[in-house]
Amino acid sequence: MGKEDGQSRVTERASSATHTGSLQRRMILIAAAWITLLLAGGGFALDRVLSVAVTRNFDDQLQYVLTSLLTSAEIGPVGEVINTREPADQRFLEPGSGLYWQVSAKGQEPYRSRSLWDRALAYGTAHADRNVHSYDSAQFAPEKLRVVERDVTLPGSTTVWRFQVAENREALDAQIAVLRRTVIRSFALLALGLLVLAALQTVYGLRPLRRVREEIALMRAGRSNRVSSAMPVEVAPMVDELNALIEHNERQAEEARRHAGNLAHALKTPLTVIMNAATAGADDLAETVVREARTMRRQVDHHLARARAVGRRGSAHSRAAVWPSVESVERAVARLYQHVRIDSEGPKDLCAHVERQDLDEMLGNLVENAAKYGGGSVFVTVAAQAGFVEILVEDDGTGIPEEERVRIFDRGVRLDTGKPGTGLGLAIVRDVAEIYEGTVALEESEDLGGLLVRLRLPAAG
């Protein structure tokens, strides 16, 4: 029952997560809007081009008739215009046929085709040159006309004659309508095809993301611990980062479990000593409790310091100025060990990729150990080395034998048991340095003859 409740709570949290809508729907809508805009603009442009082309072809036919009319026109005996050859099209002879011609001039009786019967084409005054003009006219409403006209002065006459040929636009409009319907249907079909293509592309293109979601669901259900499916090049980096994050979390969880176990083990022995002393009614019970409590406190402080460092190392902005930390530690240690001389040198502007509190703790342990176990002189050197800040702490003591330099980093190990301490200082320095991807090493000091501790931490730009 508890497991089902836990799963239902997880499901509720997942379903109640805030979102900004469907990515798939968003991509399809964007594609649809863009396709519609482009096809609408392209269709309109194509419609205009085709309409102009069909209208120009229609006008060319009328101009051909107009040219024939001009070539066959002559001036009659009384100054009138006569045709030596009638236009061949029979519609000019049928009244109201929709095809007309007319020759007219100011102050002259119009000479027109029989198809006009008792009507006449409007003369108008807009024509002010000898070029061919084409325009639409509604003078025979509801019949719409397409008119082509030209002003000409015939040989043997000083009169400016206007030759006009007009035809009903019905056939022209029918052709344009057919072309327009064809364009609309073609573009509609093209739009539908493109929308289906965009939808299929979106569904198929987002499929890897659905696979990632399924893999994460398997991990949450405990049936997998990594996203193991092969992914496209664009999604693979995200999956790699996700797997790296999972591995990082697992490593941190394992680290937390291990240190919890270490802390429990470290506290077990002092607690056992206290319980045995209390059960036996030992005379030095109070001293035993104080001594073992001090040991437990140092163990707790060590693990808390490590836990704080682990929690802070994820900050990309963690940085600390090295020199102020060195000076602060020198002042603190100098008050504790007034007989010790502490000197330092190096650039004042170096920064390390570490929290100031952790840097103070590492330097404090190193300088305090040098002052405690040295012969009275401590020298601290700060330098930059290939992307790292290197801090050297040297003393003039007896040093540490090379075969003991690895073991000394173990918690609780002390080579000099004659002085107070718990043997956690170097262990803390090593653990915290490793958390920040740094290192610590023990060497022999060439200048002072004692121990040299080389602490390397990543430099902060």
Side-chain angles (χ1 to χ4, degrees), residues 64-76 80-88 92 101 103 111 152 154-155 163 165:
Y64 176 77
V65 176
L66 181 65
T67 302
S68 300
L69 193 63
L70 284 171
T71 57
S72 63
E74 292 182 356
I75 299 298
E80 78 280 13
V81 174
I82 59 175
N83 280 338
T84 60
R85 183 178 64 255
E86 288 289 335
F92 287 120
W101 63 262
V103 181
Y111 177 45
V152 177
L154 295 176
F163 287 75
V165 176

Side-chain angles (χ1 to χ4, degrees), residues 215 218-228:
E215 293 274 354
L218 291 176
M219 287 191 292
R220 191 176 62 185
R223 296 199 293 270
S224 174
N225 61 353
R226 293 290 186 278
V227 179
S228 56

